[in-house]
Amino acid sequence: MVRAREAALELFSTQGYGATSMRQISERSAVSVGNLYHHFGSKETIYQQLLDDYWGRLLNPNDELQQLFERADFPDDLEEMAALIERSVDAHAPYIMLIFIDVVEFRGRHIHAFYESMPARFAATYQENFARKRREGRLGDANALVAVMLATRWLFYYFTVEKCFGVPMHFGMAPREAVEEFIRLLRFGVLPRTAAAMADASEARAVAKAT
Amino acid sequence: MVRAREAALELFSTQGYGATSMRQISERSAVSVGNLYHHFGSKETIYQQLLDDYWGRLLNPNDELQQLFERADFPDDLEEMAALIERSVDAHAPYIMLIFIDVVEFRGRHIHAFYESMPARFAATYQENFARKRREGRLGDANALVAVMLATRWLFYYFTVEKCFGVPMHFGMAPREAVEEFIRLLRFGVLPRTAAAMADASEARAVAKAT
DNA sequence: AGTTACGGAACGAGCGTTCGATTTGTAAGA
DNA sequence: TCTTACAAATCGAACGCTCGTTCCGTAACT
């Protein structure tokens, strides 16, 4: 019943849940309405399964973005992280819409668990490496765990607005430039640094580009 | 016809556009269906007017958040900015849902113009002060215009997830702590600073708290 | 008297779901 | 290999309901 799920994803993601009818899914997938109910039981089950598909893809250990998280090299790998998040949003754009559909049409019922478990997942992944980097003096006094979550969530949101909400250039510049600025901000902040610190900074930037 | 708009806002923001019927709006507002059509002409017009209401409130020069933008004191006023954005999200929570309804059920048709005009509005408000602060050596080499937009958008998004999407503590800590970390990151970044720079930083923090 | 405000029945369409009939697939017995 | 039997898959009509909108009669105001 892969055909039906593909059709449902296309329709849900472009029209919303309520505005998509079982007859539309039936026509688009060439699966009769009765058969849809035989396999899924209800319309909401189709939606639920699609969301589960997305969580599965997102947390798949073979996914390139998941593998970057596993390396836990933040903030040195910020450039690569931004690139992979852009690709992830590109690849999963219709699925991402399901999240906002859930918020609007189901009051966030289906996404709660995922978002609530996020801090624990990040902590488990990054805790050790952050402790080591801090001992080595490679982190400032900001909370690096908050930083990596902020970076991840912000980049996902930025590309979602860009690619899913249909508001291109919503920072008044090309995504490449905007991302470059986001990364600079996350690494160095908006306040000035001394000459000595600037040297450290450009060195860190060189290292990041080299890897 | 204020009653009808209030009822429609409540219903749209909790159920979505498609799932809210004219009969529900009629019952909740004690305005007959026929009368709703007499005054608004269509269901979509009601929704449109509510969104226009929100833009009006958001850009109202008497609004405390707008007045903070007018002072253009970023990044010194970040603490106050975060507090006012939290209050704005609190005060306009149902309206904010309309934005996501637009994305899901209207493919972002009604919100395009607002988001596209945002960079120009920020540039007009902040350009001068940022140029001056840069001359005075009070800004680093990050793009301050991107920084203030990032800060604004991120804080709006953070509090929206917290208050509208029903996912409290989605950073694994109280909003107060999370916001404190966001601000630290925006000002100083996640990389370490030299002793000299740290002195500057704590001075800036003291100034920010004093004002 | 005439314009505006209001009410509620009626219309045609579409909704999610159910149901019974039919086809297809599969595995055992001959 | 062919027949038989039973379960799974498939279909589309039908059910009961709700939808956005229209229409027209009545009430209120000026």
Side-chain angles (χ1 to χ4, degrees):
Chain A
M1 276 303 110
V2 141
R3 278 191 332 235
R5 283 220 285 252
E6 284 172 353
L9 177 59
E10 258 188 62
L11 291 163
F12 285 154
S13 65
T14 53
Q15 307 179 336
Y17 177 83
T20 299
S21 71
M22 291 298 272
R23 286 164 182 81
Q24 284 180 316
I25 299 173
S26 163
E27 279 174 30
R28 165 98 58 151
S29 62
V31 174
S32 71
V33 173
N35 207 8
L36 285 176
Y37 276 90
H38 175 73
H39 283 283
F40 296 100
S42 75
K43 184 183 173 187
E44 191 170 337
T45 303
I46 303 180
Y47 170 76
Q48 178 100 248
Q49 286 194 13
L50 288 172
L51 257 186
D52 290 343
D53 277 1
Y54 182 45
W55 303 144
R57 283 159 170 264
L58 213 51
L59 301 180
N60 179 357
N62 293 324
D63 182 80
E64 51 187 6
L65 181 57
Q66 273 310 308
Q67 295 186 343
L68 176 137
F69 285 139
E70 285 308 320
R71 275 178 254 136
D73 235 354
F74 183 88
D76 300 311
D77 60 1
L78 257 168
E79 282 82 2
E80 200 189 345
M81 183 170 144
L84 293 188
I85 289 178
E86 177 169 16
R87 281 168 62 163
S88 181
V89 173
D90 255 333
H92 302 135
Y95 287 104
I96 292 174
M97 289 305 295
L98 299 182
I99 293 177
F100 294 95
I101 288 173
D102 193 56
V103 166
V104 167
E105 306 195 48
F106 296 99
R107 314 207 58 174
R109 197 195 317 155
H110 304 89
I111 63 163
H112 265 181
F114 181 83
Y115 278 93
E116 270 178 7
S117 66
M118 194 177 286
R121 268 201 312 277
F122 271 98
T125 307
Y126 278 94
Q127 213 149 235
E128 263 183 57
N129 272 23
F130 281 164
R132 204 189 63 238
K133 285 192 178 185
R134 180 170 287 276
R135 280 197 304 274
E136 296 168 358
R138 294 164 64 193
L139 288 174
D141 57 350
N143 184 330
L145 214 45
V146 171
V148 68
M149 284 196 286
L150 169 57
T152 304
R153 295 285 300 275
W154 170 253
L155 287 167
F156 261 105
Y157 181 57
Y158 173 79
F159 286 117
T160 296
V161 174
E162 190 86 8
K163 294 167 195 294
C164 303
F165 292 10
V167 187
M169 305 271 291
H170 63 289
F171 263 70
M173 59 187 71
R176 194 180 304 273
E177 294 174 68
V179 166
E180 205 176 305
E181 288 300 331
F182 298 157
I183 293 177
R184 204 197 311 280
L185 272 165
L186 281 163
R187 289 218 181 99
F188 309 115
V190 71
L191 291 183
R193 294 185 162 238
T194 64
M198 287 308 293
D200 285 348
S202 64
E203 184 188 322
R205 229 174 310 172
V207 168
K209 283 197 176 169
T211 56
Chain B
M1 278 301 111
V2 143
R3 278 193 331 238
R5 283 221 286 251
E6 284 172 354
L9 177 58
E10 259 187 61
L11 292 163
F12 285 154
S13 65
T14 53
Q15 308 179 337
Y17 176 84
T20 299
S21 70
M22 292 298 273
R23 286 164 183 81
Q24 284 179 317
I25 299 173
S26 163
E27 280 175 28
R28 166 99 56 151
S29 62
V31 175
S32 71
V33 174
N35 207 9
L36 285 176
Y37 277 89
H38 176 73
H39 283 283
F40 296 100
S42 75
K43 184 183 173 187
E44 192 170 335
T45 303
I46 303 180
Y47 170 76
Q48 178 100 249
Q49 286 195 12
L50 287 171
L51 256 185
D52 290 343
D53 277 0
Y54 181 45
W55 304 143
R57 282 159 172 263
L58 213 52
L59 301 179
N60 179 359
N62 292 325
D63 182 78
E64 51 187 5
L65 181 57
Q66 273 309 310
Q67 294 187 343
L68 176 136
F69 285 139
E70 285 308 320
R71 276 178 254 133
D73 235 353
F74 183 88
D76 300 312
D77 60 1
L78 256 169
E79 282 82 3
E80 201 189 344
M81 182 169 144
L84 293 188
I85 288 178
E86 177 169 17
R87 281 168 63 165
S88 180
V89 173
D90 255 333
H92 303 135
Y95 287 104
I96 292 175
M97 289 304 296
L98 299 182
I99 293 176
F100 294 96
I101 289 173
D102 192 56
V103 166
V104 167
E105 307 195 48
F106 296 100
R107 314 208 58 175
R109 198 195 317 156
H110 304 89
I111 64 164
H112 265 181
F114 181 82
Y115 279 93
E116 271 179 5
S117 67
M118 194 178 286
R121 269 201 311 277
F122 271 97
T125 307
Y126 279 94
Q127 212 150 237
E128 261 184 58
N129 273 23
F130 281 164
R132 204 189 63 240
K133 285 193 178 185
R134 178 169 288 274
R135 280 197 304 273
E136 295 169 358
R138 294 164 65 194
L139 287 174
D141 57 351
N143 184 330
L145 213 46
V146 171
V148 68
M149 285 195 285
L150 169 56
T152 304
R153 296 284 301 274
W154 171 253
L155 287 167
F156 262 104
Y157 182 57
Y158 173 79
F159 286 117
T160 296
V161 173
E162 190 86 9
K163 294 167 196 292
C164 302
F165 291 9
V167 187
M169 304 271 290
H170 63 289
F171 263 69
M173 60 186 70
R176 194 181 305 275
E177 295 174 67
V179 166
E180 206 175 302
E181 289 299 331
F182 298 157
I183 292 176
R184 204 197 310 281
L185 272 165
L186 282 162
R187 289 217 180 99
F188 309 116
V190 72
L191 291 183
R193 293 187 164 240
T194 65
M198 288 308 294
D200 285 349
S202 65
E203 184 188 320
R205 229 174 311 176
V207 168
K209 282 197 178 170
T211 55

